[in-house]
Amino acid sequence: MAASVGRRCLRLLRGVTPWRSSLLHCENTTMSHFLQPLRKLPVRAFYTNARRVHTASARTLFLLRPLPILLVTGSGYAGYRQYEKYRERELEKLGLEIPPKLAGHWEVALYKSVPTRLLSRAWGRLNQVELPHWLRRPVYSLYIWTFGVNMKEAAVEDLHHYRNLSEFFRRKLKPQARPVCGLHSVISPSDGKILNFGQVKNCEVEQVKGVTYSLESFLGPRTSTDDLPFAPATPCGSFRNQLVTREGNELYHCVIYLAPGDYHCFHSPTDWTVSHRRHFPGSLMSVNPGMARWIKELFCHNERVVLTGDWKHGFFSLTAVGATNVGSIRIYFDRDLHTNSPRYSKGSYNDFSFVTHANKEGIPMRKGEHLGEFNLGSTIVLIFEAPKDFNFKLKAGQKIRFGEALGSL
């Protein structure tokens, strides 16, 4: 009995031995293949009281574990930025002024290298995809909850009415939702937040307090009425004098930021005549207040549409500034305008005159009249000429709605 058991065990061991040998051979081959590049890496040694210890250089560690290092570094930087924002908010609550920390040239260049125009075009096409009827309510409800949208003001409150995200973003309001102020000469063209306002000094405009951009870079060279030839480069004072047409007048500005949850259409802020449009293809960086405090001349980098003309006190302009996922800027009376188009390269601009032989004046706009729309939140910049006694009825940082007063004489 014992002999038969011994023979049976011997047969089992003979069967297992080749399998174990092949497994060990495979393991050794794999380990040698994995350790082969490590043998070529520089190794340093140091001694402790106990034993000799071998360590790899920093370069070796980076080559071995790039993903964890990138994750740790990125998380650390993001955490630091969040701490900085928290500290700024706490100091603002105490009423202390915080000097802006501007991005370096390399940071701006790195941000501009992101293909935001391509991403915005893809986002625009996604917004036009028709949603199934059963999916509309949950998708729009999530957006309403995230950005605090007030659907009671919408002309159509039924969420199933909007076939796609684009229609929902461009929803119209009930006529009584935004009464237009008739007592003041300039009203807010849109819903939003007042980032800055005041007089334009030294041809520099404040996008937020302490961070400026060049007036001439933003509007582009002043054009003449004769077939719109470009005026030669002029010093700052001369450029401002080209805009201020009446003696005793000053140049004023107002910046309104439209958040994603705001009403996305914009209207005429006063009675004026639009004579010229200039389209600047550009980047599509975010224009939220945090980015406006961080990047100098942010509005000059981004794609924008500048409408210029005249009102009763002289020069008047309204500029719609694009942003990330807001490459589409539409002006209702300008069918030739195509923003965020691949055929236009950044750094250029194209002009169009609404003054023709048949129309000697341009496009007349009444205060409160529909002017255009964004596909998502963005920024409106007003730059206009007015007498010295013009007063804004605003506070920086306040929320404002279309139709409410900006200022008057």
Side-chain angles (χ1 to χ4, degrees):
M1 180 72 176
S4 65
V5 170
R7 284 194 297 272
R8 192 173 300 167
C9 290
L10 184 61
R11 283 197 299 272
L12 288 172
L13 287 173
R14 285 173 181 170
V16 169
T17 301
W19 175 79
R20 290 184 62 193
S21 298
S22 62
L23 178 62
L24 289 172
H25 175 72
C26 181
E27 288 179 350
N28 291 334
T29 304
T30 304
M31 288 300 293
S32 63
H33 177 73
F34 175 76
L35 295 174
Q36 187 66 29
L38 301 184
R39 296 192 184 103
K40 299 179 182 179
L41 297 173
V43 177
R44 294 181 297 180
F46 66 92
Y47 289 86
T48 66
N49 293 333
R51 58 181 176 176
R52 185 180 183 184
V53 180
H54 292 272
T55 61
S57 64
R59 177 175 175 272
T60 302
L61 294 175
F62 182 78
L63 290 173
L64 292 178
R65 296 181 178 88
L67 184 59
I69 290 174
L70 288 174
L71 289 175
V72 170
T73 305
S75 301
Y77 180 74
Y80 171 74
R81 291 291 300 171
Q82 290 301 318
Y83 168 73
E84 286 289 311
K85 290 179 180 178
Y86 168 76
R87 191 167 66 90
E88 288 177 4
R89 286 195 299 268
E90 292 301 311
L91 290 173
E92 284 178 356
K93 289 178 183 178
L94 297 173
L96 300 175
E97 261 193 48
I98 307 163
K101 293 183 179 180
L102 298 179
H105 293 296
W106 69 270
E107 291 174 302
V108 177
L110 183 63
Y111 191 3
K112 292 176 73 173
S113 68
V114 177
T116 51
R117 299 180 72 190
L118 180 62
L119 294 173
S120 297
R121 283 196 289 271
W123 174 253
R125 292 186 180 181
L126 179 64
N127 287 345
Q128 294 173 358
V129 175
E130 185 170 344
L131 296 176
H133 195 269
W134 61 269
L135 190 59
R136 295 174 189 178
R137 178 172 289 278
V139 169
Y140 300 147
S141 296
L142 177 63
Y143 186 90
I144 290 168
W145 177 79
T146 304
F147 296 108
V149 179
N150 185 3
M151 284 302 293
K152 292 182 179 179
E153 298 176 336
V156 180
E157 296 184 38
D158 181 15
L159 297 180
H160 293 108
H161 170 79
Y162 304 100
R163 294 173 298 176
N164 52 47
L165 285 166
S166 181
E167 286 188 2
F168 178 73
F169 294 149
R170 296 181 287 108
R171 64 193 176 277
K172 298 294 187 275
L173 298 180
K174 294 173 181 174
Q176 67 274 19
R178 296 289 187 275
V180 175
C181 177
L183 300 177
H184 298 274
S185 53
V186 183
I187 62 169
S188 175
S190 65
D191 289 8
K193 179 181 180 180
I194 302 295
L195 295 189
N196 215 310
F197 63 93
Q199 281 191 21
V200 177
K201 298 178 180 179
N202 301 321
C203 287
E204 291 286 320
V205 186
E206 283 191 322
Q207 56 193 30
V208 293
K209 188 172 178 60
V211 183
T212 62
Y213 57 92
S214 164
L215 180 64
E216 187 168 6
S217 297
F218 182 69
L219 296 178
R222 185 69 169 142
T223 57
S224 77
T225 55
D226 299 328
D227 296 328
L228 300 174
F230 297 126
T234 57
C236 170
S238 299
F239 182 76
R240 180 188 173 281
N241 292 338
Q242 290 179 11
L243 300 181
V244 179
T245 58
R246 301 182 186 181
E247 188 176 351
N249 280 1
E250 296 290 343
L251 209 57
Y252 297 88
H253 76 100
C254 183
V255 183
I256 305 170
Y257 167 69
L258 289 74
D262 288 327
Y263 170 56
H264 295 145
C265 298
F266 51 94
H267 301 247
S268 175
T270 192
D271 296 331
W272 65 307
T273 301
V274 184
S275 58
H276 182 251
R277 179 260 290 163
R278 175 170 286 162
H279 170 217
F280 289 85
S283 301
L284 288 171
M285 297 185 283
S286 172
V287 293
N288 67 58
M291 296 302 297
R293 281 192 295 268
W294 189 51
I295 299 179
K296 183 179 173 63
E297 298 201 335
L298 172 64
F299 300 153
C300 296
H301 292 297
N302 271 17
E303 181 155 9
R304 58 198 182 278
V305 176
V306 182
L307 301 178
T308 56
D310 295 282
W311 71 316
K312 60 183 178 181
H313 298 295
F315 172 80
F316 198 96
S317 73
L318 181 148
T319 302
V321 183
T324 306
N325 296 334
V326 197
S328 175
I329 303 171
R330 183 182 174 194
I331 304 297
Y332 294 138
F333 57 77
D334 189 355
R335 295 184 179 181
D336 295 322
L337 176 65
H338 301 284
T339 56
N340 194 21
S341 172
R343 64 179 177 177
Y344 296 126
S345 59
K346 292 191 289 187
S348 63
Y349 59 85
N350 54 85
D351 291 288
F352 185 84
S353 176
F354 299 109
V355 178
T356 63
H357 293 291
N359 182 3
K360 299 291 184 181
E361 295 183 356
I363 308 294
M365 296 296 301
R366 303 292 296 174
K367 183 167 64 173
E369 187 178 350
H370 278 85
L371 182 56
E373 63 188 31
F374 295 110
N375 269 346
L376 205 61
S378 194
T379 299
I380 296 287
V381 180
L382 302 179
I383 298 175
F384 57 93
E385 174 186 359
K388 291 182 178 179
D389 57 349
F390 181 87
N391 292 314
F392 284 101
K393 311 293 183 182
L394 304 171
K395 291 181 181 178
Q398 79 170 70
K399 293 288 290 182
I400 198 167
R401 304 200 303 178
F402 155 62
E404 295 179 349
L406 283 185
S408 63
L409 298 171

